[in-house]
Amino acid sequence: MHAAEENRQELDPASVLNAKRTLLQLLGRAGFSADDAQGLIALVEAGALAGACQEAGALGASVPGDKGEPYESGWLDGARAVTDALAGIAERALRQSVDPDGPAAGPDIRPPVGRMEVERAKVAVTPLYLAFTAASDLDPEVTEEVLAAVLATMTPWQRAGYAGRLAAFAAANRARLERLYVAYGPGSATAIHSRYSLLHSATSIAVLERLATAAAALQEEWDAAELPPAWLDGPMTAWDAAA
């Protein structure tokens, strides 16, 4: 056995299972269902596998030493086989976490929004919002209702990757969002105008992203949730004005 392998630190299966059970129990005490908790853990596992696949691919592309073409060819073929296998495992793990019952209902189905999906969205929007403006005392505190309407416009697969979509939206529209929050957000002259009150909430980042990419679907879910029309009209007006 290679010396590096002798000193390698690895978790045994029983310890990994114990960590998962501990997390399930802690989330259960916080009020989350076993299905929600298991889905979150599976999503993290899928991400870890995808990261390992990328790292293995980068390492495998670099052939050590100069040992001739046959060695190089064999090395690259072996590395490709490993990364392909890892990619397949990661994809299956992701599919199990996002769509455990299979695609029988159709690829475009939009099932009811789960509590864990709302919690993941809450964690995603807050730092993005605070990158453009400060926390506001006028936040209408309708986080769950607004995010549920936003997430209802998406499929489970889109919800799983929504944090990345939001980050990309904020990066691509940074200058426009800066102008918007200066003109209509906390500290602006319109700070107490109820039409723009949603811009005092971190959820406004999510609303603006949907207005830019799926406005009709958002309007439909907004109406279904019986949220105030002015809360959607204000961000829409501000988004257009900041263009």
Side-chain angles (χ1 to χ4, degrees), residues 91-171:
E91 183 178 359
R92 289 194 297 273
L94 178 59
R95 187 173 298 280
Q96 179 61 30
S97 68
V98 175
D99 194 14
D101 297 325
D108 299 323
I109 194 68
R110 297 182 340 218
V113 176
R115 181 184 173 191
M116 188 63 77
E117 291 174 320
V118 172
E119 292 298 323
R120 294 205 313 262
K122 286 167 65 175
V123 172
V125 297
T126 301
L128 292 175
Y129 176 76
L130 294 178
F132 293 103
T133 189
S136 174
D137 292 335
L138 300 178
D139 185 341
E141 298 183 355
V142 288
T143 302
E144 285 78 11
E145 295 90 334
V146 170
L147 289 179
V150 165
L151 292 168
T153 68
M154 306 175 215
T155 67
W157 286 93
Q158 291 169 328
R159 296 171 194 171
Y162 190 44
R165 180 189 292 268
L166 279 174
F169 167 77

Side-chain angles (χ1 to χ4, degrees), residues 22-221:
T22 302
L23 185 53
L24 283 169
Q25 289 186 19
L26 290 173
L27 288 170
R29 291 173 196 166
F32 290 94
S33 70
D35 287 344
D36 279 347
Q38 288 171 346
L40 183 63
I41 293 172
L43 197 59
V44 172
E45 289 177 334
L49 285 166
C53 181
Q54 293 177 350
E55 187 173 348
L59 292 172
S62 178
V63 181
D66 183 11
K67 301 180 181 179
E69 192 280 331
Y71 180 90
E72 179 176 339
S73 178
W75 174 278
L76 294 175
D77 286 346
R80 191 176 301 111
V82 170
T83 55
D84 286 349
L86 270 176
I89 296 171
E91 183 178 359
R92 289 194 297 273
L94 178 59
R95 187 173 298 280
Q96 179 61 30
S97 68
V98 175
D99 194 14
D101 297 325
D108 299 323
I109 194 68
R110 297 182 340 218
V113 176
R115 181 184 173 191
M116 188 63 77
E117 291 174 320
V118 172
E119 292 298 323
R120 294 205 313 262
K122 286 167 65 175
V123 172
V125 297
T126 301
L128 292 175
Y129 176 76
L130 294 178
F132 293 103
T133 189
S136 174
D137 292 335
L138 300 178
D139 185 341
E141 298 183 355
V142 288
T143 302
E144 285 78 11
E145 295 90 334
V146 170
L147 289 179
V150 165
L151 292 168
T153 68
M154 306 175 215
T155 67
W157 286 93
Q158 291 169 328
R159 296 171 194 171
Y162 190 44
R165 180 189 292 268
L166 279 174
F169 167 77
N173 296 278
R174 176 162 298 278
R176 187 173 182 178
L177 289 167
E178 287 174 348
R179 291 193 297 269
L180 183 150
Y181 283 109
V182 166
Y184 299 95
S188 70
T190 57
I192 60 172
H193 198 306
S194 61
R195 187 185 187 197
Y196 301 103
S197 62
L198 198 65
L199 294 176
H200 291 256
S201 168
T203 61
S204 57
I205 286 284
V207 170
L208 291 168
E209 188 277 334
R210 290 287 86 186
L211 286 174
T213 57
L218 179 60
Q219 183 69 67
E220 176 186 344
E221 296 298 338

